Amino acid sequence: MQCDRIWRNARLATLAQRRGLGEVQDGVLACRGGRIVFAGVRTDSPSGLDAPDIVDCEGRWITPGLIDPHTHLVFGGDRAQEFELRLGGASYEEIARAGGGIVSTMKATRAASEAELIEAALPRLDALIAEGATTVEVKSGYGLALEPELTCLRAVRELGHRRAVTLRATFLGAHALPPEFAGDPDGYIDHVCREMIPAVTAEGLADAVDAFCEGIGFTPAQTRRVFEAARAHGLPVKLHAEQLSNLHGAALAAEFGALSADHLEHLDEAGVAAMSAAGTVATLLPGAYYFVRETQAPPIAALRAAGVPMALATDCNPGTSPLTSLLLVMNMAATLFRMTVDECLAGVTREAARALGLAAELGTLEAGKRCDLAIWSIERPAELVYRMGFNPLHARVFGGVG
């Protein structure tokens, strides 16, 4: 079998099975046309396997390229001042109700041009790429009006042209109530559903629709309207749910077959059961949990027992998780949430792909999937979760190139 490129003398973590890492010693991985054609033990490789480019990995580990399924990379300004306020005892909710939080970032984002938003986001994206990320989801949600939201989503698309990375754009118009609609959240949801979602869809700028279902966000009834509008326009949904309280948003997301419900610190048993039945992924965000000093962790044991897939993400954003390291996210998930090494690595590969609706394309080392790889100078996969502030990436491969 003639291929474009072969990596040999490698150890593979294929993530191909629901349990375990699918570890392969003396492994070979072959690529043709940007797709994996073989990933397995050398002695099982097809006869005549050859390529003009053969890479000796010298015993290094190969995993799927890492995937960050929840970020807010595109925004203006920062919120370092709010960080100081929280250190002084102010809560996230208190800051938001005083005009800080998402609305303060909205002002800086509206004041920035598309070019400025792109230039500000590139270093954040590059930091993820430098640690082996090959796919990143990016949400809007800091424009909170039609044209600024379109600008943010256009910036996401342009970032995907600037870097060798797959970017999935998510429309998050229902992120917070803008000042123009003060006291009229239903009116703003009307605007999101009747004007913003149709415009976003017409330009092909979003791959999914999200909302913030929370006491300082939007009610379940308002969220349902957003989901119905998304469905009418053929877009899958995701949801910020049960972060600060339990409004049963996860069950609502599951009702609509959501790709994921994210945060979930206050998720109850009914929400777990609904997500399990619907196949909705639990995307966990330990960076936000750490940064805002939460004390109630997501119900990991219940999610595990119910077989709910658990993805991990940076939640990179200016206010509650200014984090651009999936390696650190894995360490936080292990130390703060007591997730296993296998769960952490699956969370930024196989389950992260599932959370973006890309499980058929990405997230495991299997024939037919896109050849997105991360090659690591490590002795065992646990090192990727164990270390802090250390990047053992040897090489990153995107679509067979790199």
Side-chain angles (χ1 to χ4, degrees), residues 5-8 10 12-14 28-31 34-39 55 57 61-67 129 131-135 164 349 362-366 369-376 393-402:
R5 198 175 190 187
I6 296 172
W7 291 264
R8 62 175 183 83
L12 311 179
T14 67
V28 169
L29 190 145
C31 167
R35 298 274 170 176
I36 297 170
V37 294
F38 177 78
V55 179
C57 289
W61 280 88
I62 301 179
T63 70
L66 303 190
I67 300 170
I129 289 172
E131 287 191 352
T134 52
T135 300
T349 54
L362 305 170
T364 63
L365 304 182
E366 295 182 89
K369 293 199 174 181
R370 200 168 67 213
C371 189
D372 289 359
L373 315 174
I375 305 175
W376 308 96
L393 186 72
H394 172 73
R396 173 184 174 277
V397 176
F398 180 72
V401 178

Side-chain angles (χ1 to χ4, degrees), residues 74-76 105-115 117 139-156 170-173 178-181 188 191 196 199-200 203 205:
V74 174
F75 58 83
T105 297
M106 175 208 73
K107 295 174 183 176
T109 301
R110 287 184 178 182
S113 67
E114 180 180 333
L117 292 172
K139 304 179 191 296
S140 66
Y142 291 125
L144 303 181
L146 179 56
E147 285 306 320
E149 284 290 303
L150 292 175
T151 297
C152 289
L153 291 168
R154 290 172 189 140
V156 176
T170 297
F171 171 63
L172 181 55
E180 297 88 347
F181 286 87
Y188 180 62
H191 179 55
M196 298 172 81
V200 166
E203 283 199 43
L205 291 175

